Amino acid sequence: MMQLSAQGLPVIGDAILRQASVLTGLPTKALNIVGYKRTKFASSCDREASPSDSRSNLPNLCDPIVLSGWKVSVKPYNQRNLLVFLSDNSGSRIQLASGDSSTGNNGTGQPVPIPSSELPPPLDRGVVFRQISSGGFAGRTYETVLLNDGSLIRVRIGDANDSERSVRRISRQEVQRFQQLLERSRFGEYKNLSYPAPSGAADYIIYTLTSREGTVQYNDISQNNLPQNLQVVVKAWNQITNSQVSNGNTDETVPIPASELPPPLDRGVVFRQISSGGLFPRTYETVLLNDGRLIRVRIGDANDSERSVHRISIQQVQQFEQLLERSEFGEYKNLSYPAPSGAADYITYTLTSQEGTVQYNDISQNNLPESLREVVNNWNQIVSNAQR
């Protein structure tokens, strides 16, 4: 097949062409080796950089092995772009090159800068990490974010009804371990780099990962050719997103149907709670006004006989508004934390601020995200103290 006289290259040439065929989807006869030279490059792992945490199952970082071998350029027929491979002398280790591998660079997929016009926006406050996935056969785009309270929120971009939103939760300890992994992996060193798919590839999914340090882009074809430390981050992230709801900290949320959403708050209303159900199924509405009044009525009470009005200070109102802002209450907009299957006689609470509505019940209360529990606890203290 090849007329090459370099020592060792005929042994690895066929293996490289097979690898190029897999990446491009082209037959080997449509691929040509157009250049080669001896080189040294970094590949795989030599030793663990730090012990793994058996509780989180996060993979270890590692130091690369420096190998002697070949840098080989492959040109697909009738295309301008080259594929550059690195191989050891036996052809048992083959990978895409990254820049000039003789310098001992990452030794994996060759990155290109992400155009500034294609960079996603910076992370919102309270967000630790974000993945945007797009492409594939279905051509849909999903955004998954990890918040610092452990909430893992996934939505489909362009889903007008927000019908595919899901919210799960991992522990704060797992969040901290992932943040430490990002730091150890030097994620910021790959800032605004893209590891593109081979020329001619199709129907692949593009993943755009963003931390506080920057953004990295890759695809499901090039994943195994990422630098080793990036592969560790991707593996850890996939373990987080693919895991079941961790340690029972929260039930998975469901969107509140639009037909069941309460009306928006009236002018001057800061917060509203509607409670319903229980052994004696009555429905009560409690509202906090910006002048400090706390008004509670029973829905359906024709004589308004159970109305009560209490008052808290303007300062307490402002403190509660600040808490709503700090807790990013709007992040949970129109989400319900349902009771376990088979539960009965529970009370459902529907909370509404100017940012949106959240629903939970007295059974699921302890499983709410920490920031929501803080709002609920503070609200209950306001109501309880005002009634004394």
Side-chain angles (χ1 to χ4, degrees), residues 20 56 59 150 203 219 239 262 306 378:
S56 66
D203 297 325
N219 55 78
Q239 287 177 347
E306 294 189 44
N378 196 281

Side-chain angles (χ1 to χ4, degrees), residues 122-385:
L123 298 182
D124 292 334
R125 187 177 63 178
V127 176
V128 171
F129 199 73
R130 177 182 64 213
Q131 173 186 280
I132 298 173
S133 62
S134 59
F137 289 105
R140 292 184 172 185
T141 300
Y142 290 90
E143 179 184 79
T144 305
V145 296
L146 174 63
L147 306 186
N148 54 19
D149 68 356
S151 298
L152 194 69
I153 304 173
R154 181 177 185 265
V155 299
R156 179 164 67 86
I157 305 299
D159 180 10
N161 297 323
D162 207 18
S163 59
E164 294 189 44
R165 175 183 288 261
S166 67
V167 180
R168 296 190 292 109
R169 185 176 176 81
I170 65 174
S171 69
R172 281 186 176 271
Q173 190 175 14
E174 288 177 289
V175 175
Q176 291 169 355
R177 285 195 288 263
F178 184 66
Q179 289 175 304
Q180 291 165 0
L181 177 66
L182 288 173
E183 184 176 349
R184 293 200 311 271
S185 70
R186 301 182 293 277
F187 189 84
E189 291 187 6
Y190 308 99
K191 181 178 180 181
N192 300 349
L193 290 181
S194 173
Y195 292 80
S199 177
D203 297 325
Y204 53 85
I205 299 175
I206 296 175
Y207 299 96
T208 303
L209 308 180
T210 302
S211 76
R212 291 287 170 188
E213 301 302 319
T215 291
V216 173
Q217 194 172 79
Y218 74 99
N219 55 78
D220 50 356
I221 298 177
S222 66
Q223 177 173 337
N224 291 334
N225 297 316
L226 294 176
Q228 186 66 36
N229 283 353
L230 277 185
Q231 289 191 44
V232 170
V233 171
V234 169
K235 183 177 180 181
W237 173 250
N238 289 340
Q239 287 177 347
I240 288 173
T241 57
N242 293 334
S243 65
Q244 298 298 315
V245 179
S246 67
N247 60 38
N249 275 349
T250 185
D251 296 322
E252 189 156 348
T253 61
V254 296
I256 303 173
S259 59
E260 297 179 14
L261 285 171
L265 298 182
D266 293 333
R267 188 175 61 180
V269 176
V270 172
F271 198 72
R272 178 182 64 213
Q273 173 186 280
I274 298 173
S275 61
S276 59
L279 288 172
F280 306 98
R282 293 184 173 184
T283 300
Y284 290 89
E285 179 185 79
T286 305
V287 296
L288 174 63
L289 306 185
N290 55 16
D291 64 3
R293 283 180 295 164
L294 195 69
I295 304 173
R296 180 177 185 265
V297 298
R298 179 165 67 84
I299 304 299
D301 180 10
N303 298 321
D304 204 20
S305 59
E306 294 189 44
R307 174 183 290 265
S308 66
V309 180
H310 301 277
R311 185 179 290 275
I312 64 174
S313 68
I314 297 295
Q315 184 179 12
Q316 287 176 294
V317 174
Q318 293 171 345
Q319 289 171 344
F320 184 66
E321 288 178 309
Q322 292 168 359
L323 174 62
L324 288 173
E325 183 176 353
R326 287 199 313 272
S327 69
E328 297 178 330
F329 189 84
E331 291 287 335
Y332 309 98
K333 181 179 180 180
N334 301 348
L335 291 181
S336 173
Y337 292 80
S341 178
D345 299 327
Y346 54 84
I347 299 175
T348 298
Y349 299 94
T350 303
L351 309 180
T352 302
S353 76
Q354 295 292 347
E355 300 301 319
T357 292
V358 174
Q359 195 172 77
Y360 73 98
N361 55 78
D362 50 358
I363 298 177
S364 66
Q365 177 173 336
N366 291 333
N367 296 321
L368 294 176
E370 186 173 335
S371 58
L372 275 185
R373 288 205 307 272
E374 186 177 3
V375 171
V376 169
N377 291 338
N378 196 281
W379 170 254
N380 290 341
Q381 287 177 359
I382 287 174
V383 173
S384 177
N385 292 338

